[in-house]
Amino acid sequence: MCGKQNDEGVVDCAALKGGKLTGPACEGMSGTCDLLAGGRIYRPRAARAAAACMTRMGARACDIGVRKRCYDEGVHAACPEAQFASACQAKMDQCHAAGQKVTYTKEECMKAESALTGGDRTWALSAMGPSSEGTCRLMFTVF
């Protein structure tokens, strides 16, 4: 059921295009939304939520920190697919075995994996720890 839900939805980029957002930090915003709409990094449900957040934020979304919060919102909008449960548990077990604090839940990991596609999904799971920083944290693509 989640797989179908994660693949539904259309990303609306209208508010982020056509020079509506100005300034050097905003130059790439329409391209950012186009990447979300293209479905090559984020699946439609998560991409739609991230783009809606950016639209709500307006020019503030030009700040990478704000965009990261919008991607986080997109990840949390994903329906957690059961197929990722064992990979997420294994990652968390690796972190615990390395004595590192895990700052995400299994469900959050499953949502991140469910929100992303292909290589970005693979990268995110590998980047969730253990890390040289001593913590294992939720990772997802930000651009």
Side-chain angles (χ1 to χ4, degrees):
M1 179 87 156
C2 275
K4 184 176 181 185
Q5 290 177 9
N6 286 325
D7 289 328
E8 292 175 348
V10 176
V11 177
D12 181 5
C13 295
L16 302 172
K17 289 186 170 260
K20 294 177 183 170
L21 302 177
T22 59
C26 291
E27 289 177 356
M29 282 304 296
S30 64
T32 295
C33 194
D34 288 340
L35 284 171
L36 283 169
R40 292 186 308 254
I41 299 167
Y42 280 89
R43 293 170 70 189
R45 181 177 176 144
R48 184 180 67 233
C53 174
M54 288 179 206
T55 298
R56 264 192 339 271
M57 295 298 158
R60 290 179 296 167
C62 299
D63 178 283
I64 190 67
V66 173
R67 276 200 311 279
K68 184 176 184 212
R69 287 194 300 273
C70 287
Y71 290 117
D72 182 66
E73 192 172 303
V75 164
H76 281 84
C79 184
E81 295 178 34
Q83 68 185 3
F84 300 116
S86 61
C88 287
Q89 186 61 56
K91 182 55 66 173
M92 294 171 78
D93 290 346
Q94 289 175 356
C95 290
H96 290 327
Q100 295 189 1
K101 180 181 179 185
V102 180
T103 62
Y104 56 87
T105 66
K106 184 175 172 180
E107 182 178 9
E108 288 173 322
C109 175
M110 291 168 61
K111 284 184 174 200
E113 291 297 287
S114 300
L116 296 166
T117 65
D120 288 276
R121 177 185 292 152
T122 303
W123 167 82
L125 186 63
S126 69
M128 285 188 209
S131 74
S132 60
E133 298 155 356
T135 61
C136 294
R137 57 191 175 107
L138 188 67
M139 297 295 286
F140 45 86
T141 305
V142 175
F143 47 92

